[in-house]
Coordinates of all heavy atoms in Angstrom, one line a residue:
M1 N -66.6 39.2 -18.6 CA -67.6 40.2 -18.6 C -68.2 40.2 -20.1 O -67.5 40.3 -21.0 CB -67.1 41.6 -18.2 CG -68.2 42.6 -18.1 SD -67.5 44.1 -17.4 CE -68.8 45.1 -17.5
E2 N -69.5 40.2 -20.2 CA -70.2 40.2 -21.4 C -70.2 41.5 -22.1 O -70.4 42.6 -21.4 CB -71.6 39.7 -21.2 CG -72.3 39.4 -22.5 CD -73.7 38.7 -22.3 OE1 -73.8 37.9 -21.4 OE2 -74.6 39.1 -23.0
K3 N -70.0 41.6 -23.4 CA -70.0 42.8 -24.1 C -71.4 43.3 -24.3 O -72.4 42.6 -24.4 CB -69.5 42.6 -25.5 CG -68.0 42.5 -25.6 CD -67.5 42.5 -27.1 CE -66.0 42.5 -27.1 NZ -65.6 42.7 -28.5
S4 N -71.6 44.7 -24.2 CA -72.9 45.3 -24.4 C -73.1 45.3 -25.9 O -72.2 45.5 -26.7 CB -72.9 46.7 -23.9 OG -72.9 46.7 -22.5
K5 N -74.4 45.1 -26.3 CA -74.7 45.1 -27.7 C -76.1 45.7 -27.9 O -77.0 45.4 -27.1 CB -74.7 43.7 -28.2 CG -75.1 43.5 -29.7 CD -75.0 42.1 -30.1 CE -75.5 41.9 -31.5 NZ -75.4 40.4 -31.9
V6 N -76.3 46.5 -29.0 CA -77.5 47.1 -29.4 C -77.7 46.8 -30.8 O -76.8 46.9 -31.6 CB -77.6 48.6 -29.1 CG1 -78.8 49.2 -29.7 CG2 -77.5 48.9 -27.6
Q7 N -79.0 46.4 -31.2 CA -79.3 46.1 -32.6 C -80.3 47.1 -33.1 O -81.3 47.3 -32.4 CB -79.8 44.7 -32.7 CG -79.8 44.1 -34.1 CD -80.2 42.6 -34.1 OE1 -81.3 42.3 -33.7 NE2 -79.2 41.8 -34.5
L8 N -80.0 47.8 -34.2 CA -80.9 48.7 -34.8 C -81.4 48.3 -36.1 O -80.6 47.7 -36.9 CB -80.2 50.1 -35.0 CG -79.7 50.8 -33.7 CD1 -78.9 52.0 -34.2 CD2 -80.8 51.2 -32.8
S9 N -82.6 48.6 -36.5 CA -83.1 48.3 -37.8 C -82.8 49.5 -38.7 O -82.9 50.7 -38.2 CB -84.6 48.1 -37.8 OG -84.9 46.9 -37.1
V10 N -82.4 49.3 -39.9 CA -82.2 50.3 -40.9 C -83.5 51.0 -41.3 O -84.5 50.3 -41.6 CB -81.5 49.8 -42.2 CG1 -81.4 50.8 -43.3 CG2 -80.1 49.3 -41.8
T11 N -83.5 52.3 -41.2 CA -84.7 53.1 -41.6 C -84.2 54.3 -42.5 O -83.0 54.7 -42.3 CB -85.5 53.6 -40.5 OG1 -84.7 54.5 -39.7 CG2 -86.0 52.5 -39.6
E12 N -85.0 54.8 -43.4 CA -84.6 55.8 -44.2 C -84.1 57.1 -43.5 O -83.3 57.8 -43.9 CB -85.7 56.2 -45.2 CG -85.2 56.4 -46.6 CD -86.3 56.5 -47.6 OE1 -87.3 55.8 -47.5 OE2 -86.1 57.3 -48.6
E13 N -84.7 57.3 -42.3 CA -84.3 58.5 -41.5 C -82.9 58.5 -41.1 O -82.3 59.6 -40.9 CB -85.2 58.7 -40.3 CG -84.9 57.7 -39.2 CD -85.7 57.9 -37.9 OE1 -86.3 59.0 -37.8 OE2 -85.7 57.0 -37.1
L14 N -82.3 57.3 -41.1 CA -80.9 57.2 -40.7 C -79.9 57.6 -41.9 O -78.7 57.6 -41.7 CB -80.5 55.8 -40.3 CG -81.3 55.4 -39.0 CD1 -81.0 53.9 -38.7 CD2 -80.8 56.2 -37.8
L15 N -80.4 58.1 -43.0 CA -79.6 58.7 -44.0 C -79.3 60.2 -43.7 O -78.5 60.8 -44.3 CB -80.3 58.6 -45.4 CG -80.3 57.2 -46.0 CD1 -81.2 57.3 -47.3 CD2 -78.9 56.8 -46.4
D16 N -79.9 60.6 -42.6 CA -79.6 62.0 -42.1 C -78.6 61.8 -41.0 O -78.8 61.2 -40.0 CB -80.9 62.6 -41.5 CG -80.8 64.0 -41.0 OD1 -79.7 64.4 -40.5 OD2 -81.8 64.7 -41.0
R17 N -77.4 62.5 -41.2 CA -76.3 62.3 -40.2 C -76.7 62.8 -38.8 O -76.2 62.3 -37.8 CB -75.0 62.9 -40.7 CG -74.6 62.1 -42.0 CD -73.2 62.5 -42.5 NE -73.1 63.9 -42.7 CZ -72.0 64.6 -42.9 NH1 -70.9 63.9 -43.0 NH2 -72.0 65.9 -43.1
A18 N -77.5 63.9 -38.8 CA -77.9 64.4 -37.5 C -78.7 63.4 -36.7 O -78.6 63.2 -35.5 CB -78.7 65.7 -37.6
V19 N -79.6 62.6 -37.4 CA -80.4 61.6 -36.8 C -79.4 60.5 -36.3 O -79.6 59.9 -35.2 CB -81.4 61.0 -37.8 CG1 -82.1 59.8 -37.2 CG2 -82.4 62.1 -38.1
C20 N -78.4 60.2 -37.1 CA -77.4 59.1 -36.7 C -76.7 59.5 -35.4 O -76.5 58.7 -34.5 CB -76.4 58.9 -37.8 SG -77.1 58.1 -39.2
I21 N -76.4 60.8 -35.3 CA -75.7 61.3 -34.0 C -76.6 61.1 -32.8 O -76.2 60.7 -31.8 CB -75.2 62.7 -34.2 CG1 -74.1 62.8 -35.2 CG2 -74.8 63.3 -32.9 CD1 -73.7 64.2 -35.7
S22 N -77.9 61.5 -33.0 CA -78.9 61.3 -32.0 C -79.0 59.9 -31.6 O -79.1 59.5 -30.4 CB -80.2 61.9 -32.4 OG -81.2 61.7 -31.5
K23 N -79.1 59.0 -32.6 CA -79.3 57.6 -32.3 C -78.0 57.0 -31.6 O -78.1 56.2 -30.7 CB -79.5 56.9 -33.7 CG -80.2 55.6 -33.7 CD -81.6 55.6 -33.0 CE -82.7 55.5 -34.0 NZ -83.9 55.1 -33.4
A24 N -76.8 57.5 -32.0 CA -75.6 57.1 -31.4 C -75.6 57.5 -29.9 O -75.1 56.7 -29.1 CB -74.4 57.7 -32.1
R25 N -76.1 58.6 -29.6 CA -76.1 59.0 -28.2 C -77.0 58.0 -27.4 O -76.7 57.7 -26.2 CB -76.7 60.4 -28.0 CG -75.8 61.5 -28.4 CD -76.3 62.9 -28.0 NE -75.3 63.9 -28.3 CZ -75.4 64.7 -29.4 NH1 -76.4 64.6 -30.2 NH2 -74.5 65.6 -29.6
S26 N -78.1 57.6 -28.0 CA -79.0 56.6 -27.3 C -78.3 55.3 -27.1 O -78.4 54.6 -26.1 CB -80.3 56.4 -28.1 OG -81.0 57.6 -28.2
V27 N -77.5 54.9 -28.1 CA -76.8 53.6 -28.1 C -75.8 53.6 -26.9 O -75.7 52.7 -26.1 CB -76.2 53.3 -29.4 CG1 -75.2 52.1 -29.3 CG2 -77.2 53.0 -30.5
I28 N -75.1 54.7 -26.9 CA -74.0 54.9 -25.8 C -74.7 54.9 -24.5 O -74.2 54.4 -23.5 CB -73.1 56.1 -26.1 CG1 -72.3 55.8 -27.4 CG2 -72.3 56.4 -25.0 CD1 -71.6 57.0 -28.0
A29 N -75.8 55.6 -24.4 CA -76.6 55.7 -23.1 C -77.0 54.3 -22.7 O -77.2 54.0 -21.5 CB -77.7 56.6 -23.2
D30 N -77.3 53.4 -23.7 CA -77.7 52.0 -23.4 C -76.5 51.2 -22.9 O -76.7 50.0 -22.7 CB -78.4 51.4 -24.6 CG -79.8 51.9 -24.8 OD1 -80.3 52.5 -23.9 OD2 -80.3 51.7 -25.9
G31 N -75.3 51.7 -22.8 CA -74.2 51.0 -22.3 C -73.2 50.5 -23.3 O -72.2 49.8 -22.9
V32 N -73.3 50.8 -24.6 CA -72.3 50.3 -25.6 C -71.1 51.2 -25.5 O -71.2 52.4 -25.6 CB -73.0 50.3 -27.0 CG1 -71.9 49.9 -28.0 CG2 -74.1 49.3 -27.0
D33 N -70.0 50.6 -25.4 CA -68.7 51.3 -25.2 C -68.1 51.6 -26.6 O -67.3 50.9 -27.1 CB -67.7 50.5 -24.4 CG -66.4 51.3 -24.1 OD1 -66.4 52.5 -24.2 OD2 -65.4 50.6 -23.8
M34 N -68.5 52.7 -27.2 CA -68.0 53.2 -28.5 C -68.0 54.7 -28.4 O -68.7 55.3 -27.6 CB -69.0 52.9 -29.7 CG -69.1 51.4 -30.0 SD -70.4 51.1 -31.3 CE -69.5 51.6 -32.7
T35 N -67.2 55.4 -29.2 CA -67.2 56.8 -29.3 C -68.4 57.2 -30.0 O -69.0 56.5 -30.8 CB -66.0 57.4 -29.9 OG1 -66.0 57.1 -31.3 CG2 -64.7 56.9 -29.3
L36 N -68.9 58.4 -29.8 CA -70.1 59.0 -30.5 C -69.8 59.0 -32.0 O -70.7 58.5 -32.7 CB -70.4 60.4 -30.0 CG -71.6 61.1 -30.6 CD1 -72.9 60.3 -30.2 CD2 -71.6 62.5 -30.2
E37 N -68.6 59.4 -32.4 CA -68.3 59.4 -33.8 C -68.3 58.0 -34.4 O -68.9 57.8 -35.5 CB -66.9 60.1 -34.0 CG -66.9 61.5 -33.7 CD -66.7 61.8 -32.2 OE1 -66.4 60.9 -31.4 OE2 -67.0 62.9 -31.7
E38 N -67.7 57.1 -33.8 CA -67.7 55.7 -34.4 C -69.1 55.1 -34.5 O -69.4 54.5 -35.5 CB -66.8 54.8 -33.5 CG -65.4 55.0 -33.5 CD -64.6 54.1 -32.5 OE1 -65.3 53.6 -31.5 OE2 -63.4 53.9 -32.7
C39 N -69.9 55.3 -33.5 CA -71.2 54.8 -33.5 C -72.1 55.5 -34.6 O -72.7 54.8 -35.4 CB -71.8 55.0 -32.1 SG -73.4 54.2 -31.9
A40 N -72.0 56.8 -34.7 CA -72.8 57.5 -35.7 C -72.4 57.1 -37.1 O -73.2 56.9 -38.0 CB -72.7 59.0 -35.5
E41 N -71.0 57.0 -37.3 CA -70.5 56.6 -38.6 C -70.9 55.2 -39.0 O -71.3 55.0 -40.2 CB -69.0 56.7 -38.6 CG -68.5 58.1 -38.5 CD -67.0 58.3 -38.2 OE1 -66.3 57.3 -37.9 OE2 -66.5 59.4 -38.1
E42 N -70.9 54.3 -38.1 CA -71.3 52.9 -38.4 C -72.8 52.9 -38.7 O -73.2 52.2 -39.7 CB -71.0 52.0 -37.2 CG -71.3 50.5 -37.6 CD -70.8 49.5 -36.6 OE1 -69.9 49.9 -35.8 OE2 -71.2 48.4 -36.7
I43 N -73.6 53.6 -38.0 CA -75.1 53.6 -38.3 C -75.3 54.2 -39.7 O -76.1 53.6 -40.5 CB -75.8 54.4 -37.2 CG1 -75.8 53.7 -35.8 CG2 -77.3 54.7 -37.6 CD1 -76.2 54.6 -34.7
Y44 N -74.7 55.3 -40.0 CA -74.9 55.9 -41.2 C -74.4 55.0 -42.4 O -75.1 54.9 -43.4 CB -74.1 57.3 -41.3 CG -74.3 58.0 -42.6 CD1 -75.4 58.7 -42.8 CD2 -73.3 58.0 -43.5 CE1 -75.6 59.4 -44.0 CE2 -73.4 58.7 -44.7 CZ -74.6 59.4 -45.0 OH -74.8 60.0 -46.2
A45 N -73.2 54.4 -42.2 CA -72.6 53.6 -43.3 C -73.5 52.4 -43.6 O -73.8 52.1 -44.8 CB -71.2 53.1 -42.9
H46 N -74.0 51.7 -42.6 CA -74.9 50.6 -42.8 C -76.1 51.0 -43.6 O -76.6 50.3 -44.5 CB -75.4 50.0 -41.5 CG -74.5 49.0 -40.9 ND1 -74.7 47.6 -41.1 CD2 -73.3 49.1 -40.2 CE1 -73.7 46.9 -40.5 NE2 -72.9 47.8 -39.9
T47 N -76.7 52.2 -43.2 CA -77.9 52.7 -43.9 C -77.6 53.1 -45.3 O -78.3 52.8 -46.2 CB -78.5 53.9 -43.1 OG1 -78.7 53.5 -41.7 CG2 -79.8 54.4 -43.7
W48 N -76.4 53.7 -45.5 CA -76.0 54.1 -46.8 C -75.9 52.9 -47.7 O -76.4 52.9 -48.9 CB -74.7 54.9 -46.7 CG -74.2 55.5 -48.0 CD1 -74.5 56.8 -48.5 CD2 -73.4 54.9 -49.0 NE1 -73.9 57.0 -49.7 CE2 -73.2 55.8 -50.0 CE3 -72.8 53.6 -49.1 CZ2 -72.4 55.6 -51.2 CZ3 -72.0 53.4 -50.3 CH2 -71.9 54.3 -51.3
F49 N -75.2 51.9 -47.3 CA -75.0 50.7 -48.0 C -76.4 50.1 -48.4 O -76.6 49.6 -49.5 CB -74.2 49.6 -47.3 CG -72.7 49.9 -47.4 CD1 -72.0 50.1 -46.2 CD2 -72.0 49.9 -48.6 CE1 -70.6 50.3 -46.3 CE2 -70.7 50.1 -48.7 CZ -69.9 50.3 -47.5
F50 N -77.3 50.0 -47.4 CA -78.6 49.4 -47.6 C -79.4 50.1 -48.7 O -80.0 49.4 -49.6 CB -79.4 49.5 -46.3 CG -80.7 48.7 -46.3 CD1 -80.8 47.4 -46.1 CD2 -81.9 49.4 -46.6 CE1 -82.0 46.7 -46.1 CE2 -83.1 48.8 -46.7 CZ -83.1 47.4 -46.4
Y51 N -79.4 51.4 -48.7 CA -80.2 52.2 -49.7 C -79.5 52.5 -51.0 O -80.1 52.7 -52.0 CB -80.7 53.5 -49.1 CG -81.9 53.2 -48.1 CD1 -81.7 53.3 -46.7 CD2 -83.1 52.8 -48.5 CE1 -82.7 53.0 -45.8 CE2 -84.1 52.5 -47.6 CZ -83.9 52.6 -46.3 OH -84.9 52.3 -45.4
R52 N -78.2 52.6 -50.9 CA -77.4 53.0 -52.1 C -76.9 51.8 -53.0 O -76.6 52.0 -54.1 CB -76.2 53.9 -51.8 CG -76.6 55.2 -51.0 CD -77.4 56.2 -51.9 NE -77.5 57.4 -51.3 CZ -78.7 57.9 -50.9 NH1 -79.8 57.2 -50.9 NH2 -78.7 59.1 -50.3
L53 N -76.7 50.7 -52.3 CA -76.3 49.5 -53.0 C -77.3 48.4 -52.9 O -77.2 47.5 -52.0 CB -74.9 49.0 -52.5 CG -73.8 50.1 -52.6 CD1 -72.5 49.5 -51.9 CD2 -73.4 50.4 -54.0
P54 N -78.4 48.5 -53.6 CA -79.5 47.6 -53.4 C -79.4 46.2 -53.9 O -80.2 45.7 -54.7 CB -80.7 48.3 -54.1 CG -80.0 49.0 -55.3 CD -78.6 49.4 -54.7
F55 N -78.3 45.5 -53.5 CA -78.0 44.1 -53.9 C -78.4 43.3 -52.7 O -78.2 43.7 -51.5 CB -76.6 43.9 -54.2 CG -76.0 44.8 -55.3 CD1 -75.2 45.8 -55.1 CD2 -76.4 44.5 -56.6 CE1 -74.7 46.6 -56.1 CE2 -76.0 45.3 -57.7 CZ -75.1 46.4 -57.4
K56 N -79.0 42.2 -53.0 CA -79.6 41.3 -51.9 C -78.5 41.0 -50.8 O -78.8 41.1 -49.6 CB -80.1 40.0 -52.5 CG -80.8 39.1 -51.5 CD -81.4 37.9 -52.2 CE -82.2 37.1 -51.2 NZ -82.8 35.9 -51.8
W57 N -77.3 40.6 -51.2 CA -76.3 40.3 -50.3 C -75.9 41.5 -49.4 O -75.8 41.4 -48.2 CB -75.0 39.8 -51.0 CG -73.9 39.4 -50.0 CD1 -73.8 38.1 -49.5 CD2 -72.9 40.1 -49.4 NE1 -72.7 38.1 -48.6 CE2 -72.2 39.3 -48.6 CE3 -72.5 41.5 -49.5 CZ2 -71.1 39.8 -47.8 CZ3 -71.4 41.9 -48.8 CH2 -70.7 41.1 -48.0
V58 N -75.8 42.7 -50.0 CA -75.4 43.9 -49.2 C -76.6 44.2 -48.2 O -76.3 44.5 -47.1 CB -75.2 45.1 -50.2 CG1 -75.1 46.4 -49.4 CG2 -74.0 44.9 -51.0
R59 N -77.8 44.2 -48.7 CA -78.9 44.5 -47.9 C -79.0 43.5 -46.7 O -79.3 43.9 -45.6 CB -80.2 44.5 -48.7 CG -80.3 45.6 -49.6 CD -81.6 45.7 -50.4 NE -81.9 47.1 -50.3 CZ -83.2 47.5 -50.3 NH1 -84.2 46.7 -50.2 NH2 -83.4 48.8 -50.2
S60 N -78.8 42.2 -46.9 CA -78.9 41.3 -45.8 C -77.8 41.4 -44.8 O -78.0 41.0 -43.6 CB -78.8 39.8 -46.4 OG -77.6 39.5 -46.9
H61 N -76.7 42.0 -45.2 CA -75.6 42.3 -44.2 C -75.6 43.7 -43.6 O -75.0 43.9 -42.6 CB -74.2 42.0 -44.9 CG -73.9 40.6 -45.1 ND1 -74.5 39.9 -46.1 CD2 -73.2 39.7 -44.4 CE1 -74.1 38.6 -46.1 NE2 -73.3 38.5 -45.0
A62 N -76.4 44.6 -44.2 CA -76.4 45.9 -43.6 C -77.5 46.1 -42.6 O -77.5 47.0 -41.7 CB -76.7 46.9 -44.8
D63 N -78.5 45.2 -42.6 CA -79.7 45.3 -41.7 C -80.0 44.0 -41.1 O -80.2 43.0 -41.8 CB -80.9 45.8 -42.5 CG -82.1 46.1 -41.7 OD1 -82.0 46.4 -40.5 OD2 -83.3 46.0 -42.2
P64 N -79.9 43.9 -39.8 CA -79.9 45.0 -38.8 C -78.4 45.5 -38.5 O -77.5 44.8 -38.9 CB -80.4 44.4 -37.5 CG -80.0 42.9 -37.6 CD -80.1 42.6 -39.1
I65 N -78.3 46.6 -37.9 CA -77.0 47.2 -37.5 C -76.7 46.7 -36.1 O -77.5 47.0 -35.2 CB -77.1 48.7 -37.5 CG1 -77.6 49.2 -38.8 CG2 -75.7 49.3 -37.1 CD1 -78.0 50.7 -38.8
D66 N -75.6 45.9 -36.0 CA -75.2 45.4 -34.7 C -74.1 46.3 -34.1 O -73.0 46.4 -34.7 CB -74.7 44.0 -34.8 CG -75.8 43.0 -35.1 OD1 -76.9 43.1 -34.6 OD2 -75.5 42.1 -35.9
L67 N -74.4 47.0 -33.0 CA -73.4 47.9 -32.4 C -73.0 47.2 -31.1 O -73.8 46.9 -30.3 CB -74.0 49.2 -32.2 CG -74.5 49.9 -33.5 CD1 -75.5 51.0 -33.1 CD2 -73.3 50.5 -34.2
H68 N -71.7 47.1 -30.9 CA -71.2 46.4 -29.7 C -70.0 47.1 -29.1 O -69.4 47.9 -29.8 CB -70.9 44.9 -29.9 CG -70.0 44.7 -31.1 ND1 -68.6 44.8 -31.0 CD2 -70.2 44.5 -32.4 CE1 -68.1 44.6 -32.1 NE2 -69.0 44.4 -33.0
D69 N -69.6 46.8 -27.9 CA -68.5 47.4 -27.3 C -67.2 47.4 -28.2 O -66.9 46.3 -28.7 CB -68.1 46.7 -25.9 CG -69.1 47.0 -24.8 OD1 -69.9 47.9 -25.0 OD2 -69.1 46.3 -23.8
G70 N -66.6 48.5 -28.3 CA -65.4 48.6 -29.1 C -65.6 48.8 -30.6 O -64.7 49.1 -31.3
G71 N -66.8 48.6 -31.0 CA -67.2 48.8 -32.4 C -66.7 47.6 -33.3 O -66.4 46.5 -32.8
D72 N -66.5 47.9 -34.6 CA -66.2 46.9 -35.6 C -64.7 46.9 -35.8 O -63.9 47.5 -35.0 CB -66.9 47.2 -36.9 CG -67.5 46.0 -37.5 OD1 -66.8 45.0 -37.6 OD2 -68.7 46.1 -38.0
T73 N -64.2 46.1 -36.8 CA -62.8 46.0 -37.0 C -62.2 47.4 -37.5 O -62.9 48.3 -37.9 CB -62.5 45.0 -38.2 OG1 -63.1 45.5 -39.4 CG2 -63.1 43.6 -37.8
R74 N -60.9 47.5 -37.4 CA -60.3 48.8 -37.8 C -60.6 49.1 -39.3 O -60.8 50.3 -39.6 CB -58.7 48.7 -37.6 CG -58.4 48.6 -36.2 CD -56.9 48.4 -36.0 NE -56.3 49.7 -35.8 CZ -55.0 49.8 -35.6 NH1 -54.2 48.8 -35.5 NH2 -54.5 51.0 -35.4
F75 N -60.5 48.1 -40.2 CA -60.8 48.3 -41.6 C -62.2 48.8 -41.8 O -62.4 49.8 -42.5 CB -60.5 47.0 -42.4 CG -60.9 47.2 -43.9 CD1 -60.1 48.0 -44.7 CD2 -62.1 46.7 -44.4 CE1 -60.5 48.2 -46.0 CE2 -62.4 46.9 -45.7 CZ -61.6 47.6 -46.5
R76 N -63.2 48.1 -41.1 CA -64.6 48.6 -41.3 C -64.8 50.0 -40.7 O -65.5 50.8 -41.3 CB -65.5 47.6 -40.6 CG -65.6 46.3 -41.4 CD -66.5 45.3 -40.7 NE -66.6 44.1 -41.5 CZ -67.6 43.2 -41.3 NH1 -68.5 43.4 -40.4 NH2 -67.6 42.1 -42.0
K77 N -64.1 50.3 -39.6 CA -64.2 51.7 -39.1 C -63.7 52.7 -40.1 O -64.3 53.8 -40.2 CB -63.5 51.8 -37.8 CG -64.1 51.1 -36.6 CD -63.3 51.3 -35.3 CE -63.8 50.5 -34.2 NZ -63.0 50.7 -33.0
W78 N -62.6 52.3 -40.8 CA -62.1 53.2 -41.8 C -63.1 53.4 -42.9 O -63.3 54.5 -43.4 CB -60.8 52.6 -42.3 CG -60.1 53.4 -43.4 CD1 -59.2 54.4 -43.2 CD2 -60.2 53.2 -44.8 NE1 -58.8 54.9 -44.4 CE2 -59.4 54.2 -45.4 CE3 -60.9 52.3 -45.6 CZ2 -59.3 54.3 -46.8 CZ3 -60.8 52.4 -47.0 CH2 -60.0 53.4 -47.6
V79 N -63.7 52.3 -43.4 CA -64.7 52.4 -44.4 C -65.9 53.2 -43.9 O -66.4 54.1 -44.7 CB -65.2 51.0 -44.9 CG1 -66.4 51.1 -45.8 CG2 -64.1 50.2 -45.5
F80 N -66.4 53.0 -42.7 CA -67.5 53.8 -42.2 C -67.2 55.3 -42.2 O -68.0 56.1 -42.5 CB -67.8 53.3 -40.8 CG -68.3 51.9 -40.6 CD1 -68.1 51.2 -39.4 CD2 -68.8 51.2 -41.7 CE1 -68.5 49.9 -39.3 CE2 -69.2 49.8 -41.6 CZ -69.1 49.2 -40.3
R81 N -66.0 55.6 -41.8 CA -65.6 57.0 -41.8 C -65.6 57.6 -43.2 O -66.0 58.8 -43.4 CB -64.2 57.2 -41.1 CG -63.7 58.6 -41.2 CD -62.8 59.0 -40.2 NE -63.6 59.0 -38.9 CZ -63.1 59.4 -37.8 NH1 -61.8 59.8 -37.7 NH2 -63.8 59.4 -36.7
R82 N -65.1 56.9 -44.2 CA -65.1 57.4 -45.5 C -66.5 57.6 -46.0 O -66.8 58.6 -46.7 CB -64.4 56.4 -46.5 CG -62.9 56.2 -46.2 CD -62.2 57.6 -46.1 NE -60.8 57.5 -45.6 CZ -60.5 57.6 -44.3 NH1 -61.4 57.7 -43.4 NH2 -59.2 57.6 -43.9
I83 N -67.4 56.7 -45.8 CA -68.8 56.8 -46.2 C -69.4 58.0 -45.5 O -70.2 58.8 -46.1 CB -69.6 55.5 -45.8 CG1 -69.1 54.3 -46.6 CG2 -71.1 55.7 -46.1 CD1 -69.2 54.4 -48.1
W84 N -69.1 58.2 -44.2 CA -69.6 59.4 -43.4 C -69.2 60.7 -44.1 O -70.0 61.6 -44.3 CB -69.1 59.3 -42.0 CG -69.5 60.5 -41.1 CD1 -68.8 61.6 -40.9 CD2 -70.7 60.6 -40.3 NE1 -69.4 62.4 -40.0 CE2 -70.6 61.8 -39.7 CE3 -71.8 59.8 -40.2 CZ2 -71.6 62.2 -38.8 CZ3 -72.8 60.2 -39.3 CH2 -72.7 61.4 -38.6
R85 N -68.0 60.7 -44.5 CA -67.4 61.9 -45.2 C -68.1 62.2 -46.6 O -68.1 63.3 -47.0 CB -65.9 61.9 -45.3 CG -65.3 62.0 -43.9 CD -63.8 61.9 -44.0 NE -63.2 62.1 -42.7 CZ -61.9 61.9 -42.5 NH1 -61.1 61.6 -43.4 NH2 -61.4 62.1 -41.2
L86 N -68.6 61.2 -47.2 CA -69.2 61.3 -48.5 C -70.7 61.9 -48.3 O -71.3 62.3 -49.3 CB -69.3 60.0 -49.2 CG -68.1 59.4 -49.7 CD1 -68.3 58.0 -50.3 CD2 -67.5 60.3 -50.8
G87 N -71.2 61.7 -47.1 CA -72.6 62.1 -46.8 C -72.9 63.6 -47.0 O -72.0 64.4 -47.3
K88 N -74.1 63.9 -46.9 CA -74.6 65.3 -47.2 C -74.0 66.2 -46.1 O -73.9 65.9 -45.0 CB -76.1 65.3 -47.2 CG -76.6 64.5 -48.3 CD -78.1 64.5 -48.2 CE -78.7 63.6 -49.2 NZ -80.1 63.5 -49.2

C-alpha cells in the first residue's frame, strides 16, 4: 500500500502555531496518517527554520514541507517538538 503524502509550501503565516494546527487538520483530512500534534509541529519547525536560519542549505531543505504517513524520524520529531515549544 502506498503512503499518503502532502506537500506544503512554506509561507510566513505558518509562523503562527494556530495556523499550523489548522493546516495540520487539513493534511490529516487529506489522508496523511499523523497525529495532529506531530503534523502541526513539523509544519511549524520547517517554517521556523526557513525564516529564522536564512542559509541557502537550510532554506532548500525546509521548503517544501513533505508530510507523509507516520511522519519523520524519531530524532526529527524530537527537534520539531523542541522548536514548537520555543514558539510564541
Side-chain angles (χ1 to χ4, degrees):
M1 187 171 177
E2 190 173 320
K3 285 187 172 186
S4 293
K5 180 179 173 182
V6 170
Q7 197 172 64
L8 301 175
S9 294
V10 169
T11 61
E12 225 171 322
E13 73 176 345
L14 295 174
L15 287 171
D16 181 330
R17 292 186 310 166
V19 174
C20 292
I21 291 169
S22 176
K23 209 50 113 162
R25 282 191 180 101
S26 296
V27 168
I28 292 167
D30 285 343
V32 175
D33 185 23
M34 294 175 76
T35 69
L36 181 65
E37 293 80 15
E38 287 175 340
C39 191
E41 289 165 358
E42 185 166 346
I43 293 167
Y44 181 79
H46 273 262
T47 307
W48 187 91
F49 281 119
F50 186 85
Y51 287 105
R52 302 291 191 251
L53 300 175
F55 302 107
K56 187 177 182 177
W57 185 88
V58 172
R59 291 184 136 214
S60 70
H61 286 80
D63 186 26
I65 306 166
D66 292 320
L67 301 161
H68 54 83
D69 288 346
D72 225 315
T73 66
R74 291 174 96 174
F75 176 73
R76 287 182 180 193
K77 287 179 185 180
W78 180 84
V79 171
F80 298 156
R81 174 153 292 184
R82 296 309 169 268
I83 298 297
W84 178 266
R85 289 180 180 171
L86 290 173
K88 298 176 185 177

